[in-house]
Amino acid sequence: MTPAKPLPSYLAQRYHGWRATTYDENKFWYRRLAEEGQRPRAMLIACCDSRVHVTNIFGADSGEMFIHRNIANLVPPYAPSGAHHGTSAAIEYAVTQLKVAHVIVMGHSDCGGVRGCLDMCGGHAAELEEETSFIGRWLDILRPGYARIDTGPENNNPAQSLEKEGVLISLENLMSFPCVRAAVERDELSLHGLWNDIGDGRLYAFHGDTEAFEAV
Amino acid sequence: MTPAKPLPSYLAQRYHGWRATTYDENKFWYRRLAEEGQRPRAMLIACCDSRVHVTNIFGADSGEMFIHRNIANLVPPYAPSGAHHGTSAAIEYAVTQLKVAHVIVMGHSDCGGVRGCLDMCGGHAAELEEETSFIGRWLDILRPGYARIDTGPENNNPAQSLEKEGVLISLENLMSFPCVRAAVERDELSLHGLWNDIGDGRLYAFHGDTEAFEAV
Amino acid sequence: MTPAKPLPSYLAQRYHGWRATTYDENKFWYRRLAEEGQRPRAMLIACCDSRVHVTNIFGADSGEMFIHRNIANLVPPYAPSGAHHGTSAAIEYAVTQLKVAHVIVMGHSDCGGVRGCLDMCGGHAAELEEETSFIGRWLDILRPGYARIDTGPENNNPAQSLEKEGVLISLENLMSFPCVRAAVERDELSLHGLWNDIGDGRLYAFHGDTEAFEAV
Amino acid sequence: MTPAKPLPSYLAQRYHGWRATTYDENKFWYRRLAEEGQRPRAMLIACCDSRVHVTNIFGADSGEMFIHRNIANLVPPYAPSGAHHGTSAAIEYAVTQLKVAHVIVMGHSDCGGVRGCLDMCGGHAAELEEETSFIGRWLDILRPGYARIDTGPENNNPAQSLEKEGVLISLENLMSFPCVRAAVERDELSLHGLWNDIGDGRLYAFHGDTEAFEAV
C-alpha cells in the first residue's frame, strides 16, 4: 500500500502554467528529445540544497546537463561491493553510456552537510557518529578533508575551507574510477571544480596550475 | 593532485549573464537565504536525465525545493550498514533536519536506467549483472518491480509500466524509513508519486484511492 | 588558377588564440560533434551585416544554431526553377534534413539592404534597377513591403518600417514552402520574427495575436 | 497572416543575460556602430552548419566581419539573370559598397552538403536530382569538383577531397565576378580559402604557390 497523495495544488498550478507557456513554445524540441534521446554535454554534481539553482546559473534548458545532486555534492571513492551506490552509478552512466565531455563538481557556501561534518569531526555531534546515521556515514566521505584544513582560531571560516576541500576530494575520488581516469587520459573528459557563494552569487573555479579557487 | 580545468567558456559566459540579470534582480533575497539558511517546502527525488527539468516545470526559484537526483529516481529500502548511502542520507536530512512538508518522487518516460533494468531482468544485459557494475547494482532496487509488471506480448510498453512501478517501489521504500513513517503518521509529511511524459510534457500523479496514475 | 593568399596574420593570430583556449577547453565535445553530427535546435536567418552578432546575443556555442545569413535576412517565395537558390536550399535542409524546431528570422536597425530597397522603390537608385544588379534583384523580394508601409512625411522612420515589414514578408514566404507549411501544421516547427536595435541592443519579437513587434 | 510565435524562453533568457553583460560593457561602441554604419574589414563565406562557429574562431566582435552563410559555403559563377541571387548579391554588396579588404571562403569537415553532392554525383541520391530539389540544384555548383577529385578506392576520404575542391571552385567563381576581379587586380582585395577540421579544431589555408592546403 502506497500512501501517496495528489500533487499539492500550488505545484499543480505552476505545472499547468509551465505547460501552457514554456512547454508549448518548445514542444517540437521536447518531442525530438523524447524520440531521439538525450545527448548532454556535461554532468553536474551538486548539492541537494534548495538554494543551489544550477540550471538557472548556467542557462541550461532541457537536454543540456545530466545532473546528480546529493548531500554536500560528494563523490565516494571507487569501491564496488555489490551494494547500491547511487553516486557511483550516476558517474558510470554519464561517462560510459552518455560519454559527457565535462564532469563538474559544484560546492557552495553555508552547506549544511559540510557544517555537520565539521561538527562531527570536532566531536560536537555524537548523533552523527552513530552507525545508523545515514547523514553521518555519508559525510564520512568528507572526513579526510577535515584533516587537511586549518581548524585553529586563525581560520575564521573553517566551514568554507572544508566546502572547498570537499570539492577537491570529490575530484580526486572521481579519478579513482577506472572509467573516469581512462576517459581523462584519452582526452575525452575534463573535470572541473566550482564553489558558489550563494549570498553574492559569485562562482569560483579551481585552477590546477595555481592550486587555488579563482573567480570565474 | 587534481587535474581540474577552468570552467568551459560557454558556461562562464552564461554564468556572467545570469549574475547580471537573475542574480542582480534577486540579490536581496539570495543574501537573506544565505544568512538565514534554506527552508524548502518540498523534497524532490528525480532522475539525473538532462531532459527532466524539474525547477522549470515547477517554477521553483532558489530556496524552494530540496532536490536529490539519481539514476531512475530510486529510493533504496531502509538498510543502515555503516556504508555510504547517498539517497538515504538525503532523505534523512530533508525529513529530520529540514522537516519538509512533501516528498515527491518523479519518474519519466524513456528512462535509460529503467530500460537497463528491463534488459537486465530479461537476460539481455550480462554486463549489468556483474558485481562491479554500479549501474546494475543500483538498478537492483527496481528488480521487484519487474516481477510485478506484465512483460508479455500484450503489454506494448513494458518500459513505461516499469517506470511507473519504480515510482511506487520508491514510495514504499520511503515508508520503510522510520523517520519518514513517523512524520507521515504525525501528518507532518505527505508523499507524492509523479510520472512525466517528456515528449508531450504531461504530468501524472499516483492516486492512492484509485491506485492509478491520473493526469494532473 | 586560384589567386588565393595565406590568411591575414591578424586572423591567424586570433585563430591560434582560440585553439589554445576555447577549443582546448571544449575539444572532447567538438570531437563528438564531429563524429556524431549536428543536432541544432533552431535555424536562424539573419543579415550579413557585421554588427549583427547572433551567436553572441543568444549565447550559442558550437552545435546549437543552424545559421543562414544573406543581405537583409530575406526569404524568397517558394519558386523551384532548376536554378541555384541558396536560401531555399538552406531552408529545405534545415527543415527536412535537420528537422529544426524553430526558424527565426531576425532583422535589424540601419540595414543597408533595406535602405537600398527604399531608395530603389522611391526612384532614387537607378543603378539598383538594372537587370545586372544582383543587389537590386535580390531586394526585389522586399518590394511588396514598400507598398505596405507608410512612406509619407508623417512616418519619420520608413526604413525601420520596411525592416520590420521585411521580417513579416520573409515569414509569409517561409509558409509558401510546402515543407515548412507541413511542419508548422504538424506542430513540429514554429516560426519567429525578431527585430534588433543595434544601437541600444534591444530585441523585439513579432506577436501574431497583437500583430505588433513587442520588446522581448 | 503570419503565424509567428514569441521567442522561446531559453533564448529570451540568454538574450537578457547578453544585454546585461556584453552589450552593457560595449554599449558606447555599439551605439557608434549604429550611428556611423559598419566598416567590416573582411567578408566571410561559410557554411550554415551549427558546428562552424566563425566569430568564435576569429574572435570577431560586432562590426568586424561581413558574414554570408549558405549550404556548403558555395559561390555560384557570375550569371546575372534578373532572378534572386542571394550569394551574388552579398558578394556585390561587400565588394562594391563596403569595399572589404579580404574575402574568405571557409569549408569544413563532415559537411552534410558536400556529402549530399557526393551521393548525388555517384548516383545514390535520386531525390537530389529532381528539378524541385533546392538542395540538389544548389549543390550543382559543386558538380565540377566531383569530376576533379579521385573517387576511386585508393582515396579513403573523397568527402574531404570534395570539401577542399569546393573551396577552390568558389574562389574561381569569385574571380568570374567583374567587381571581384577588378578589385583583386587593383590590389584592393585579396581572396582566401580555408578548410576547418571540426573535430581537431585545425584550420588549413590554401596556398596559391604550393597549390595545397597548409596548416595555419
Side-chain angles (χ1 to χ4, degrees), chain C residues 130-143:
Chain C
E130 287 174 27
E131 175 146 332
T132 55
S133 167
F134 289 118
I135 302 172
R137 300 298 59 70
W138 178 250
L139 294 175
D140 283 344
I141 299 170
L142 189 53
R143 274 184 189 268

Side-chain angles (χ1 to χ4, degrees), chain A residues 85-109:
Chain A
H85 296 278
T87 299
S88 303
I91 291 163
E92 188 177 280
Y93 193 83
V95 173
T96 67
Q97 305 299 305
L98 299 173
K99 301 188 199 308
V100 295
H102 313 289
V103 174
I104 303 166
V105 176
M106 179 165 145
H108 67 96
S109 62

Side-chain angles (χ1 to χ4, degrees), chain C residues 145-168:
Chain C
Y146 185 79
R148 294 196 211 161
I149 63 164
D150 177 0
T151 53
E154 57 285 356
N155 185 352
N156 58 17
N157 202 336
Q160 192 180 116
S161 303
L162 191 53
E163 283 157 8
K164 290 178 175 172
E165 202 61 43
V167 172
L168 301 188

